[in-house]
Amino acid sequence: MVGDTAQRAVDAATYEWSKDVKAEADQVANVGVAKEMGAKAQGSHALINQWADGRGMDHKKDPVVNYLRDYNDLHYSTARNQALADLHRGLS
C-alpha cells in the first residue's frame, strides 16, 4: 500500500515536471519559428526591393512595393498555417 502511494506521488511529480519541460520546449520552438519566418520574410522583401530598384521605384516609399511586401507576408503566413493544419489533420 505504501509502495503504491509512493508510486502515484512519483508519477504525479513526473507528469508535472514533463508539462513544464514541454512548455519550455514549446516556447523555445516558437521563438525559433518566429526568427525563421522573419528571415524568410526579409529574403522575400529583398527580392521585391531588387525588382523595384530594377524599375526605378523607391522601395522604401512606393505604395506598390509596400503592397507587394504586405501581400507576400500575408500569404506566406496563411500558406504556412494551412500546411500545419493539414499536417495535424493527417496525423490525427
Side-chain angles (χ1 to χ4, degrees), residues 37 74-88:
M37 285 180 68
L74 172 69
H75 287 282
Y76 175 80
S77 297
T78 302
R80 183 182 177 282
N81 291 340
Q82 184 61 52
L84 286 172
D86 291 345
L87 286 170
H88 283 294

Side-chain angles (χ1 to χ4, degrees), residues 41 44-45 48 67-77:
S44 295
H45 289 195
I48 292 167
Y67 169 79
L68 289 173
R69 283 195 298 254
D70 290 345
Y71 189 83
N72 175 76
D73 293 346
L74 172 69
H75 287 282
Y76 175 80
S77 297

Side-chain angles (χ1 to χ4, degrees), residues 4-36:
D4 194 36
T5 302
Q7 184 61 48
R8 276 189 244 153
V10 168
D11 290 347
T14 301
Y15 175 72
E16 290 302 318
W17 173 80
S18 70
K19 284 187 354 186
D20 291 342
V21 169
K22 183 185 179 318
E24 186 175 336
D26 287 346
Q27 184 178 11
V28 168
N30 288 340
V31 168
V33 167
K35 285 182 182 177
E36 181 182 342

